[in-house]
Amino acid sequence: MLLSRRDLWPILALAGASASPPQNGAALLVRLADRKLIFVTGPDVAATLLSPPGSTLKPITLWCLLNSGKLTSSDEYLCPGTLVLDGRNMTCSHPRIATPMNISRALAYSCNCAVAHFAQRLEPGELVRFGERVGLASATGLLDRPEARGTFSSNLSPQQFQ
């Protein structure tokens, strides 16, 4: 199925796309099954911008835990709502809920507390090794130009998770 920009507009609008390529943003739509680039706006920005991971580290952390067998879909954790990491307030911004967080809810609510709780199951360096193994420190090869390569290391600070 070939999609037009009009078909993709609801997705692109959420990603911050505009009628013309943005000056300081980018959006890529990729079909994961075969890594086919379906649409891109702001390719120069996408190829050169290196940013801290922010909340994208949450699904990667949960993926690592699942992949290692250290987390199952039935594991739950009741979010206390408040979290301080390395002296930095990482309190959850989602509404308080009485239902414990599982993988799905932790992702849906972007729950800092649940992901931090489950991440304690990882060995030192395990997340970094996983990230490198799945290619997070390599160029994507999706664009028709050279790409900046970031690093995936254990030297991330709590400020980089928000």
Side-chain angles (χ1 to χ4, degrees):
M1 167 197 279
L2 187 60
L3 299 174
S4 69
R5 185 177 181 92
R6 185 176 52 90
D7 296 326
L8 297 173
W9 187 247
I11 296 168
L12 297 173
L14 290 173
S18 61
S20 60
Q23 299 299 319
N24 59 357
L28 283 79
L29 182 60
V30 179
R31 186 172 55 217
L32 292 178
D34 58 2
R35 291 182 41 86
K36 178 177 174 29
L37 184 62
I38 297 171
F39 182 85
V40 63
T41 186
D44 292 334
V45 174
T48 59
L49 181 67
L50 294 177
S51 299
S55 286
T56 60
L57 201 53
K58 291 174 194 162
I60 294 165
T61 301
L62 295 174
W63 179 22
C64 177
L65 286 159
L66 281 166
N67 188 269
S68 68
K70 295 179 177 180
L71 182 65
T72 69
S73 60
S74 62
D75 290 348
E76 294 183 327
Y77 176 73
L78 185 58
C79 175
T82 58
L83 175 66
V84 176
L85 290 176
D86 213 16
R88 172 118 167 131
N89 182 357
M90 305 274 300
T91 296
C92 289
S93 60
H94 62 77
R96 298 279 294 168
I97 62 170
T99 306
M101 294 288 172
N102 58 17
I103 296 168
S104 297
R105 283 188 287 277
L107 288 172
Y109 284 95
S110 194
C111 182
N112 294 336
C113 293
V115 174
H117 169 78
F118 294 134
Q120 293 178 74
R121 300 174 184 183
L122 295 170
E123 301 296 322
E126 186 175 0
L127 181 60
V128 172
R129 289 188 300 277
F130 177 79
E132 289 171 344
R133 190 172 66 245
V134 299
L136 295 177
S138 61
T140 67
L142 294 170
L143 300 170
D144 61 354
R145 62 196 76 212
E147 297 177 39
R149 285 185 49 185
T151 58
F152 196 79
S153 76
S154 58
N155 296 329
L156 296 173
S157 65
Q159 296 89 308
Q160 295 177 298
F161 292 95
Q162 294 185 324

